[in-house]
Amino acid sequence: MLTVREIYQMLGNETLWQTATRCHEVLASAKVPHAIAGGVAVCLHGYQRNTVDLDLIIRPADSETVRQILTQSLFLWDQVQREFRSESGIPVYFLLAGDRAGAGSEVTLPSPDEPDAITEIEKLPVLSLAKLIESKIACGEGYVRRTHKDFADVVELIAVHNPSSSFARYLHKSVRSTFRKLVEHAHG
């Protein structure tokens, strides 16, 4: 089985992998809890797909510290886009623990220091499968432009991991029904 680094090399996007590992190294050395979310997390959980940015969950109290650390590490802050960019141009977005995972959703993003919400994959802190699926469904339900992409990610994660509909018990109650429908689609 290919590593995510090998997948991104194959896809011609190794700079994204380098950005993810570099962000992790500088934040971990400063002891700032963080977790990879979004498309990179989907890939780390086994669905080989490309993406163009890195999403990291941090605690709100760490926002200023993270900004200082990344600025010192030569990441550039783009005030207009409200994002950091690596030297190679990869956007790095920060999601705040406790924020809603989707517009109007009851699902909130977990804190990166919650042991049950985070798992380590290829030496990187990543949202657990349940939290990733939960956040993808919540985001897809809350933003119509993202529905197809986020639901497709969930369907592919279901295909890779083959959870039954009873896996829904690990998800927030507000997304369980949608998850069960996506399981049917993935197996249908």
Side-chain angles (χ1 to χ4, degrees):
M1 187 164 140
L2 294 174
T3 66
V4 174
R5 180 180 184 172
E6 292 167 333
I7 291 166
Y8 282 130
Q9 282 176 327
M10 190 174 61
L11 295 170
N13 199 359
E14 189 174 11
T15 54
L16 178 59
W17 180 254
Q18 292 164 343
T19 299
T21 56
R22 188 158 160 242
C23 280
H24 168 63
E25 289 166 358
V26 299
L27 293 174
S29 69
K31 298 189 182 344
V32 174
H34 58 284
I36 295 174
V40 176
V42 169
C43 194
L44 282 161
H45 275 286
Y47 170 44
Q48 297 179 10
R49 74 127 156 127
N50 210 349
T51 186
V52 296
D53 58 20
L54 175 65
D55 298 308
L56 292 174
I57 298 176
I58 61 171
R59 300 178 303 192
D62 294 329
S63 295
E64 188 54 38
T65 302
V66 168
R67 186 181 301 234
Q68 291 170 2
I69 290 168
L70 290 187
T71 300
Q72 292 168 0
S73 299
L74 302 179
F75 283 84
L76 303 172
W77 174 249
D78 182 333
Q79 183 62 39
V80 175
Q81 297 297 321
R82 303 208 35 85
E83 66 190 20
F84 274 98
R85 288 202 173 255
S86 68
E87 291 176 29
S88 58
I90 301 292
V92 179
Y93 297 105
F94 289 95
L95 310 171
L96 299 179
D99 280 358
R100 295 193 185 281
S105 178
E106 294 177 38
V107 176
T108 57
L109 297 171
S111 181
D113 55 2
E114 285 179 37
D116 292 343
I118 310 304
T119 189
E120 186 177 292
I121 304 173
E122 293 189 35
K123 299 181 182 176
L124 296 172
V126 184
L127 278 182
S128 69
L129 182 62
K131 290 297 181 184
L132 179 59
I133 287 173
E134 183 181 87
S135 68
K136 283 285 189 178
I137 292 172
C139 188
E141 289 177 335
Y143 301 104
V144 174
R145 288 185 63 197
R146 295 196 48 94
T147 301
H148 298 300
K149 183 188 298 186
D150 287 329
F151 284 14
D153 283 344
V154 172
V155 168
E156 294 299 337
L157 289 169
I158 291 167
V160 168
H161 293 277
N162 200 27
S164 67
S165 58
S166 66
F167 182 82
R169 71 182 179 273
Y170 299 111
L171 308 176
H172 190 278
K173 64 183 178 183
S174 66
V175 300
R176 289 177 184 166
S177 168
T178 302
F179 173 77
R180 288 185 184 105
K181 289 176 189 170
L182 293 174
V183 168
E184 289 174 21
H185 289 294
H187 295 265

